[in-house]
Amino acid sequence: MKRVTGIGGIFIKARDPAALREWYRRHLGLDVTEWGGVVFRWNEDNPQGEGTTIWSLFADDTKYFAPSTAPFMVNYRVADLDALLAALRAEGCAVDDKVDDSEYGKFGWVVDPEGNKIELWQPPPGR
């Protein structure tokens, strides 16, 4: 019997949930619903390919989440990383200058107003 089939949700504590929801709506384009959450449908995001969600553990002393001190980091799929990073910079968001480009896709980072580091991922074609 297969028990776990994927990530069902990501839940984040916030000091000001309404303001943080608005930041994610405005700057990352998340379609926040009336009940306060977002539903991602894989067939809308990548109808011609296969979608994946990664779940991974890091050592408690990792620097990968820095400068955030939160014990989590969320990775969001994006269609055009360079364009999104440019828009976020123009909007005054805290965008990391570093961009990684590898066989796994392109990665960039931004920090939300509550100090949570967010990883943005542009998958390679077909993924």
Side-chain angles (χ1 to χ4, degrees):
M1 171 180 72
K2 193 170 195 177
R3 294 177 185 245
V4 174
T5 61
I7 301 293
I10 297 169
F11 307 99
I12 302 170
K13 291 182 181 180
R15 290 183 296 278
D16 186 343
L20 198 56
R21 277 187 209 105
E22 177 57 20
W23 186 92
Y24 277 81
R25 186 204 59 75
R26 178 173 179 231
H27 296 292
L28 297 185
L30 297 187
D31 185 17
V32 180
T33 64
E34 187 176 302
W35 56 267
V38 177
V39 177
F40 294 100
R41 301 190 192 292
W42 282 100
N43 62 342
E44 292 171 6
D45 183 43
N46 192 16
Q48 303 304 318
E50 296 181 23
T52 59
T53 300
I54 302 298
W55 182 91
S56 182
L57 298 175
F58 286 75
D60 64 356
D61 62 351
T62 185
K63 304 294 184 234
Y64 193 69
F65 299 1
S68 176
T69 57
F72 68 89
M73 182 175 65
V74 179
N75 169 296
Y76 293 100
R77 293 171 63 105
V78 302
D80 185 340
L81 180 65
D82 295 330
L84 178 56
L85 294 177
L88 292 171
R89 285 186 183 97
E91 294 163 358
C93 297
V95 178
D96 193 322
D97 290 332
K98 178 182 174 184
V99 173
D100 283 348
D101 193 348
S102 74
E103 65 191 85
Y104 304 109
K106 293 173 68 173
F107 298 86
W109 297 268
V110 62
V111 177
D112 77 16
E114 294 203 4
N116 301 306
K117 187 175 181 182
I118 301 159
E119 187 170 68
L120 303 171
W121 172 50
Q122 180 181 329
R127 297 220 21 227

